[in-house]
């Protein structure tokens, strides 16, 4: 018997809001270059962003019955994350289901299979990250798990982990690490703002990045 279950513990709204201020790239670097999902997963529109708790679901390849169940039971703000076996030749999600998600206030979709109706998805503005775009339809046959730990994009995703995505990609933050990841991300952003200001003041990239000693140790000789 397979049970439909909710996320055991969602991150706080404050933690989600704090992380939403940073790009996935910044968060990835700040938390020790951890948590980046495969670069093969891309948004259907570069303007799309998402940040929220993962509502995880396992799905058989070329089958979207579990995705539809996830949409039915997910809560407002949840990011539905689908593990479907990295199967590219299926369009498991389109404009009809996107409208269902919008009506419920769901925060976005991440799936390691294909989607379709991308023009309509862009017009709707519902954030969708997928492995592929494919017009081929799906069946509704295989029942699987909801809100168990899954692997998507090479990363373990636990229910309630925070998923952050933008035009550059996706990163996962463990729920219990959210505050520390946000703190470290702010430190990184402040440092990068300092680098940019130093460039504007006329300093070189070698000076700003303290590369002179490193380059000298590696035997670099500059004849310019």
């Amino acid at each position: 018997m397979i049970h439909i279950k909710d996320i055991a513990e969602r991150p706080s709204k404050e933690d989600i809001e704090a992380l939403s201020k940073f790009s996935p790239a910044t968060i990835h670097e700040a938390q020790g270059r951890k948590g980046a999902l495969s670069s093969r997963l891309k948004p259907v529109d570069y303007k799309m962003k998402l940040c929220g708790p993962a509502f995880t679901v396992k799905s058989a390849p070329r089958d979207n019955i579990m995705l539809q169940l996830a949409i039915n039971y997910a809560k407002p703000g949840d990011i539905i994350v689908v593990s479907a076996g990295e199967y590219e030749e299926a369009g498991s999600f389109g404009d009809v289901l996107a409208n269902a998600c919008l009506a419920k206030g769901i925060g976005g979709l991440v799936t390691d299979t294909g989607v379709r109706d991308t023009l309509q998805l862009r017009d709707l503005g519902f954030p969708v990250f997928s492995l592929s775009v494919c017009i081929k339809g799906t069946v509704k046959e295989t029942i699987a798990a909801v809100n168990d730990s899954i692997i998507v994009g090479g990363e373990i995703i636990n229910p309630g982990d925070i998923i952050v995505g933008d035009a550059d990609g996706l990163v996962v933050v463990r729920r219990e690490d959210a505050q520390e990841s946000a703190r470290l991300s702010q430190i990184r952003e402040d440092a990068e703002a300092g680098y940019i200001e130093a460039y504007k003041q006329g300093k070189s990239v070698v000076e700003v990045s303290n590369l002179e000693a490193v380059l000298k140790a590696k035997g670099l000789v500059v004849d310019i």
Side-chain angles (χ1 to χ4, degrees):
M1 183 178 294
I2 296 174
H3 295 273
I4 298 291
K5 53 189 177 182
D6 196 6
I7 298 172
E9 188 172 358
R10 285 179 170 78
S12 69
K13 292 182 179 179
E14 292 76 15
D15 287 347
I16 293 170
E17 183 178 353
L19 283 169
S20 71
K21 298 175 183 177
F22 305 107
S23 71
T26 293
I27 295 169
H28 167 63
E29 294 284 355
Q31 59 184 13
R33 296 186 175 179
K34 297 178 181 178
L37 276 63
S38 170
S39 60
R40 296 170 66 200
L41 298 171
K42 297 294 187 185
V44 300
D45 189 295
Y46 75 94
K47 297 178 182 178
M48 291 178 172
K49 297 181 179 181
L50 55 77
C51 182
F55 189 100
T56 65
V57 58
K58 292 181 181 177
S59 178
R62 206 174 62 82
D63 189 322
N64 79 344
I65 190 171
M66 293 310 301
L67 171 55
Q68 296 208 33
L69 284 175
I71 294 169
N72 190 70
Y73 291 105
K75 302 291 178 60
D78 287 350
I79 308 299
I80 296 175
V81 184
V82 185
S83 173
E86 297 187 350
Y87 187 79
E88 297 185 39
E89 293 300 314
S92 65
F93 182 91
D95 63 329
V96 174
L97 290 180
N99 274 285
C101 290
L102 287 169
K104 290 198 64 178
I106 292 169
L109 171 75
V110 176
T111 179
D112 67 357
T113 186
V115 300
R116 60 187 184 183
D117 305 328
T118 55
L119 288 177
Q120 293 91 332
L121 292 177
R122 293 183 186 110
D123 289 341
L124 289 168
F126 180 71
V128 175
F129 289 68
S130 68
L131 182 63
S132 67
V133 174
C134 181
I135 63 172
K136 298 175 183 178
T138 56
V139 298
K140 297 168 180 61
E141 295 180 355
T142 306
I143 300 299
V146 172
N147 281 325
D148 283 344
S149 295
I150 59 176
I151 296 178
V152 173
E155 288 288 327
I156 296 173
I157 312 292
N158 304 305
D161 286 347
I162 300 173
I163 305 296
V164 186
D166 68 8
D168 291 337
L170 295 152
V171 69
V172 58
V173 179
R174 306 302 172 205
R175 180 184 56 77
E176 62 272 18
D177 296 336
Q179 293 181 15
E180 180 67 1
S181 291
R183 185 185 73 84
L184 294 173
S185 294
Q186 187 62 63
I187 290 172
R188 183 174 179 84
E189 282 214 341
D190 291 344
E192 290 181 345
Y195 301 155
I196 293 170
E197 183 58 32
Y199 296 146
K200 291 179 179 180
Q201 297 300 319
K203 290 189 176 181
S204 71
V205 292
V206 171
E207 289 177 294
V208 172
S209 298
N210 296 314
L211 292 177
E212 186 172 354
V214 174
L215 296 172
K216 184 177 180 180
K218 292 182 179 294
L220 180 72
V221 177
V222 179
D223 292 327
I224 297 175

